[in-house]
Amino acid sequence: MRTALLQSSGRPGSVAANLKVLDEAAGRAAAAGAGLLVAPEMFLTGYAIGADVRRLAEPADGDWADAVVEIAGRHGLAVAYGYPERDGETVYNSAQLIATDGSRLANYRKTHLFGCFEHDHFTPGDEPVVQAEFGGLRIGLMICYDVEFPENVRAHALAGTDLLVVPTAQMHPFQFVAECVVPVRAFENQMYVAYVNRVGAEGEFEFVGLSTLAGPDGVARARAGRDEELVLADIDPAFLAASREANPYLKDRRPGLYRSLV
C-alpha cells in the first residue's frame, strides 16, 4: 500500500485552513496512487496554540471528523491525522484513522505526554495499543513521544502491528529521533513505521521535519527534508513477511527475564 506523509504545520489556529491543506494533499496523494495519507500531530488546530487547545478541542465524531470523512471519501484514500479530542471536560492529544467509506477505524489518545505544554493542556490516554485493519495491513497508532519508549512499540509488535503510524511534533534539538530512533524501532520490532512531523517555527518551538517511513530492515523508504513536503513510499506485505521470517528478535525473546522492567 502506497503511503503518503504530509509534512506540514498548516496554519496554526485555523481548522478551516488546515482542512484545505489536508484536502489538497489528499488529492495529490491519491493521484500518486496512495491508499493512506498521514498528517502530523495536532494538525487540524496547530500545536503551539496555548489555551486555544481547550477552545478548539472537539469529540472524535465531531464536525472536523465529518470533514475528514468527506475528504477521504472524495479522494478514495484513508486519512490519519492529529487533533485535540474533547471527551466531556477532558482533553486528549489524539490521532484518528478514517477509512474511505467514512468509518472511524481507530482513535488513539497519546499515552506519554511531553513537556510542560502538554502536561498543562492534556490528559494522558491509558490504552497503549490501538489498531485497525485496512488495506490488508494491521495498522497501529501512536503519537510522537510515545515511539521513544521501546516497551510501547514492542507491545505493538507482539500484537501484530504491520504499519505503525506516528503523527509527530518533533522539535529541535531532537532530530536524532527521526534520523536514528525510528529506523531502529522499525528494525527491532519488524514493522513499518510512518513518522510524520510538523515543520518550521511555531510559538516557542522549532519543528525539525525529517518525516520518515522506515521498513523492517531499518532502511528509510522515504525521508523528507526541513520544508513542507509530501513524500510517498510503499508498504510491501511480502517483504515484511520475509523479513519477519529471517529476523529472530521476536522469536528469541525470553519474557521471563524481563519481569523486573515492570
Side-chain angles (χ1 to χ4, degrees):
M1 180 174 66
R2 183 156 294 175
T3 300
L5 316 183
L6 172 59
Q7 178 167 285
S8 172
S9 289
R11 181 179 167 189
S14 175
V15 176
N18 294 330
L19 285 168
K20 287 181 180 179
V21 173
L22 188 67
D23 188 18
E24 188 272 339
R28 287 193 286 142
L36 171 65
L37 171 66
V38 184
E41 180 176 3
M42 293 284 285
F43 179 73
L44 288 191
T45 60
Y47 182 90
I49 57 174
D52 278 350
V53 166
R54 179 164 289 275
R55 179 179 67 84
L56 293 174
E58 75 160 28
D61 59 354
D63 292 342
W64 304 343
D66 289 343
V68 177
V69 164
E70 194 277 332
I71 290 170
R74 180 157 41 83
H75 293 291
L77 79 176
V79 178
Y81 65 99
Y83 73 108
E85 179 194 356
R86 178 181 297 281
D87 185 357
E89 293 302 309
T90 305
V91 176
Y92 299 95
N93 183 340
S94 295
Q96 184 154 222
L97 176 62
I98 303 289
T100 53
D101 65 0
S103 57
R104 296 189 300 111
L105 293 178
N107 189 70
Y108 171 77
R109 295 165 173 175
K110 189 173 186 177
T111 54
H112 296 76
L113 301 181
F114 178 80
C116 295
F117 173 77
E118 291 191 11
H119 283 278
D120 286 346
H121 293 286
F122 299 107
T123 295
D126 57 9
E127 188 174 358
V129 177
V130 172
Q131 299 169 310
E133 302 289 335
F134 179 77
L137 298 170
R138 184 169 295 179
I139 298 176
L141 293 175
M142 277 188 183
I143 299 174
C144 198
Y145 193 40
D146 291 326
V147 81
E148 298 176 40
F149 292 81
E151 303 90 341
N152 245 20
V153 187
R154 180 52 53 87
H156 269 273
L158 296 176
T161 293
D162 300 314
L163 168 61
L164 185 61
V165 169
V166 189
T168 294
Q170 184 61 267
M171 56 201 69
H172 179 80
F174 305 111
Q175 51 266 28
F176 65 87
V177 175
E179 294 170 337
C180 301
V181 174
V182 168
V184 169
R185 289 286 179 270
F187 178 70
E188 68 190 4
N189 291 289
Q190 288 300 289
M191 61 176 63
Y192 286 91
V193 179
Y195 184 82
V196 186
N197 200 11
R198 305 179 69 82
V199 64
E202 187 178 330
E204 63 185 287
F205 306 111
E206 180 189 348
F207 299 112
V208 299
L210 302 175
S211 297
T212 302
L213 196 150
D217 54 359
V219 175
R221 300 299 193 277
R223 189 186 294 281
R226 299 297 186 98
D227 298 316
E228 297 216 347
E229 191 173 350
L230 183 73
V231 297
L232 298 102
D234 292 327
I235 308 297
D236 183 348
F239 181 83
L240 178 59
S243 182
R244 285 173 169 172
E245 182 63 28
N247 187 306
Y249 275 155
L250 298 182
K251 290 180 285 190
D252 287 348
R253 292 173 65 253
R254 297 180 61 192
L257 300 180
Y258 315 144
R259 291 182 183 136
S260 63
L261 293 177
V262 294

